[in-house]
Amino acid sequence: MLPHHRFRPRLLDTLRGYRRTDFLADLGAGLTVGVVALPLAMAFAIASGVKPEQGLFTAILAGLLISGLGGSSVQIGGPAGAFIVVVYGIVQRYGVPNLLVATMMAGVLLLAMGWLRVGALVRQMPVSIISGFTNGIAVLIALSQLKDFLGLPIASMPAGFFGQVATVARQAPHANLQALLLGAGCLAGLMFWSGLGVQKNLLGEDRRTNRWLRFAARIPGPIVALVTLTALAGALDLHVETIGSRFGGIPRTLPALQAPAVSWDSVQQLFVPALTIALLGAIESLLCARVADGVAPVRRHDPNQELMAQGVANLVAPLFGGLPATGTIARTLTNIRAGGRTPVAGILHAVTLLLVMLAAAPLAARVPLAALSGILLYVAWNMLEPREFLRLHKDGVEYAAKFLCTFVLTVVLDLTVAVEVGLALACMLFVYRMGTLFGLEADTAAGAGGDVRVFRLYGALFFGAAGKVESLADELPPGVRWVILEANYLLSIDTSGQSALETLGRELARRDIGWIVCGLHRQPQQQLDPVTTAHWEAPPVVLPDLPAALRRAEAPAPA
């Protein structure tokens, strides 16, 4: 039976010994994160081409399930900026109903990944590829927000990079100056607000100012921007598009349970989009959980349990019109900084969102879309890592090739293609690098005679290095009777390496040359045991060490 993960949420462990002080800390953190998540959930949904309430439903339902069933103590789940590009592309190509089907399929894949315990493998994604598509997504998010940021009269942005650039450039002369000023004010205000924590340490002995700055820094910047700019737009009667003018407002109740229509044809058609959602969700959530482990004084997360919780969340949320969900770094770090200790904080964040939606839904209709675009541009700016581009010349050609390839393909073509090509390139470069680490060199100090040649093997004899062994026979001078392969530094042999040795033995036998392999470690010895080599045309003589091999080669041939 295949080894599988036992489903056990972290919440069950943390509730044992749960104290009143823990609840108060989680309550404060849950309220804070819930308020922060409100504008982000709506902004992510609008940027993805769906209704703002779908982002709220996702944050409430998926956030509740990911915290309640996950393997991290402090991770907060919900709609994420990384999904914007993927979801928008699926909506444009297949429609919203099929997006829900693809999300549920992704949930099944995530459940299977967690059950089969592949969480540790997902975390081994090369850093260069993660950085490449993260920066690429940041560029695409920023590009997708130019429509609302500039107040352009565009009914719907195309999904492709070049189409979006051409559309924005064509409509740029029709920009709405009021929307531009509102969006720019939002972006500038968020950057200023994020710097309050630094400014409070630069004012020396001015205690009153420092106290005010410390208080202000605790208030989430997106909420400050949303409230002030919504009030400003209403007071000045600005002619800008709002959530109400485009979507008709936010409902004050959760939608009824409704399963999307699923057919075998749609499953086949949506498998690649579902796989993209699953892989991106797995990478994003486990990357977020790993960051949280390094920041918060909590027990290390369980990657397989986290994947299973993501799977359940992405299965359930679409039944209520929800979007793909994953762990989110910004809200998780907010939770940690606000004092969150256990998954209860994430559950309370979802409850807070639900209560705010029920109470303040009519007010949300007045929120200017330009303000939400400013918030998303700030999110994109935080995702972008300019230093990665500046240090490429220091990180080597291999790192730069994988990073730039993934970045360019993410921006120009598609995230799925970018990750596939990036991984393929990483594999090819890995095979090349491992092939260079395998060596086969003549050992002239071994004390062998003129008719005996000793060659030292080191590294891993695998398919990328097999050619170095197969050509050895052609390099031998006339008169050689024995070839000794000293394998003291040979770490492993795969089936291609076995085949290369079999080919070498057959070629040596054709030239009437005997061959000996000595000093094998455990894994290579298992690959070359008598049972494995019994069917070979010319199996090697396997001896324990080089002196024994030399004695065997120098012994007179039997009469």
Side-chain angles (χ1 to χ4, degrees):
M1 183 177 178
L2 287 173
H4 62 274
H5 174 73
R6 185 170 65 93
F7 189 88
R8 183 173 179 80
R10 178 62 54 86
L11 180 64
L12 297 179
D13 298 327
T14 55
L15 286 180
R16 289 185 298 187
Y18 192 70
R19 298 166 298 178
R20 179 174 177 273
T21 54
D22 295 326
F23 175 76
L24 292 176
D26 288 337
L27 178 61
L31 292 172
T32 302
V33 181
V35 171
V36 170
L38 178 69
L40 293 177
M42 292 191 296
F44 290 154
I46 293 171
S48 300
V50 297
K51 296 179 179 180
E53 59 263 29
Q54 291 182 260
L56 291 175
F57 301 154
T58 307
I60 294 168
L61 294 169
L64 179 69
L65 291 170
I66 289 173
S67 293
L69 303 178
S72 171
S73 299
V74 293
Q75 175 148 270
I76 303 295
F83 278 128
I84 289 175
V85 179
V86 175
V87 172
Y88 188 83
I90 295 174
V91 169
Q92 292 296 307
R93 185 171 181 181
Y94 302 105
V96 174
N98 281 325
L99 167 66
L100 303 181
V101 174
T103 304
M104 296 183 69
M105 290 170 60
V108 174
L109 293 174
L110 284 165
L111 267 172
M113 290 165 67
W115 189 76
L116 294 173
R117 297 162 64 175
V118 299
L121 295 178
V122 174
R123 292 191 302 177
Q124 303 308 313
M125 178 80 72
V127 175
S128 53
I129 294 177
I130 293 175
S131 296
F133 77 66
T134 299
N135 281 275
I137 288 171
V139 171
L140 291 175
I141 290 174
L143 180 60
S144 70
Q145 293 312 295
L146 292 181
K147 168 183 177 290
D148 291 330
F149 188 78
L150 299 173
L152 300 177
I154 301 172
S156 177
M157 288 281 281
F161 171 76
F162 295 109
Q164 289 184 350
V165 171
T167 302
V168 170
R170 187 167 55 250
Q171 295 294 334
H174 306 291
N176 182 334
L177 182 59
Q178 294 179 353
L180 174 58
L181 291 175
L182 209 59
C186 178
L187 183 58
L190 288 172
M191 290 184 173
F192 167 77
W193 207 261
S194 66
L196 287 180
V198 177
Q199 295 171 29
K200 70 182 181 185
N201 297 320
L202 300 178
L203 296 174
E205 300 298 325
D206 191 347
R207 294 183 179 180
R208 287 180 57 187
T209 305
N210 272 335
R211 194 159 47 242
W212 182 86
L213 286 174
R214 279 195 295 270
F215 171 76
R218 293 193 185 101
I219 304 174
I223 287 296
V224 175
L226 213 60
V227 172
T228 55
L229 293 176
T230 300
L232 181 65
L236 298 179
D237 194 23
L238 298 181
H239 298 286
V240 294
E241 198 170 14
T242 64
I243 289 179
S245 65
R246 181 181 294 182
F247 301 103
I250 303 292
R252 302 183 67 173
T253 58
L254 287 174
L257 176 69
Q258 185 175 359
V262 182
S263 66
W264 177 242
D265 289 339
S266 64
V267 169
Q268 290 178 301
Q269 186 182 40
L270 296 171
F271 179 76
V272 172
L275 182 62
T276 302
I277 293 172
L279 289 177
L280 183 56
I283 294 167
E284 187 80 5
S285 64
L286 296 185
L287 178 64
C288 174
R290 190 162 62 180
V291 170
D293 287 346
V295 176
V298 294
R299 182 176 150 203
R300 180 180 170 85
H301 76 281
D302 181 343
N304 298 309
Q305 183 63 38
E306 192 61 34
L307 288 182
M308 295 189 81
Q310 305 285 339
V312 173
N314 282 284
L315 263 174
V316 173
L319 297 176
F320 297 89
L323 308 174
T326 185
T328 58
I329 292 179
R331 276 160 275 174
T332 297
L333 292 179
T334 301
N335 181 40
I336 295 169
R337 291 177 186 135
R341 300 180 183 179
T342 73
V344 174
I347 294 172
L348 292 173
H349 128 270
V351 174
T352 300
L353 265 174
L354 176 60
L355 295 177
V356 171
M357 186 187 77
L358 296 179
L363 300 177
R366 304 177 186 177
V367 173
L369 296 180
L372 288 179
S373 69
I375 292 173
L376 281 183
L377 284 174
Y378 180 70
V379 170
W381 172 256
N382 285 330
M383 289 177 66
L384 195 65
E385 300 170 313
R387 287 178 296 179
E388 289 290 332
F389 295 90
L390 298 176
R391 55 180 279 188
L392 285 178
H393 66 284
K394 298 179 182 178
D395 292 326
V397 175
E398 181 179 327
Y399 182 95
K402 290 184 287 186
F403 175 89
L404 290 174
C405 176
T406 309
F407 172 76
V408 171
L409 290 176
T410 298
V411 172
V412 174
L413 291 181
D414 178 75
L415 178 64
T416 309
V417 175
V419 173
E420 289 172 351
V421 174
L423 285 174
L425 180 61
C427 291
M428 288 189 292
L429 291 172
F430 176 77
V431 169
Y432 171 77
R433 185 170 65 253
M434 292 299 295
T436 61
L437 295 178
F438 173 78
L440 188 154
E441 59 184 26
D443 188 352
T444 56
D451 57 354
V452 178
R453 288 287 187 273
V454 179
F455 295 90
R456 179 178 296 160
L457 307 179
Y458 56 89
L461 179 53
F462 73 119
F463 65 91
K468 296 181 181 180
V469 171
E470 293 174 341
S471 61
L472 176 62
D474 298 329
E475 301 171 7
L476 296 174
V480 173
R481 291 189 309 110
W482 284 97
V483 168
I484 300 175
L485 301 181
E486 183 186 4
N488 285 5
Y489 302 101
L490 184 66
L491 302 178
S492 65
I493 301 175
D494 71 354
T495 53
S496 297
Q498 275 184 309
S499 178
L501 289 173
E502 182 180 6
T503 300
L504 173 64
R506 188 164 53 247
E507 184 62 24
L508 291 174
R510 191 178 66 81
R511 303 185 185 197
D512 199 23
I513 300 174
W515 66 306
I516 302 170
V517 181
C518 63
L520 288 168
H521 293 290
R522 183 176 179 181
Q523 193 276 341
Q525 190 168 27
Q526 290 174 341
Q527 296 292 91
L528 296 179
D529 63 20
V531 175
T532 303
T533 60
H535 68 282
W536 289 15
E537 185 178 319
V541 177
V542 179
L543 295 174
D545 51 39
L546 182 59
L550 290 173
R551 289 194 297 271
R552 175 70 177 83
E554 293 169 357

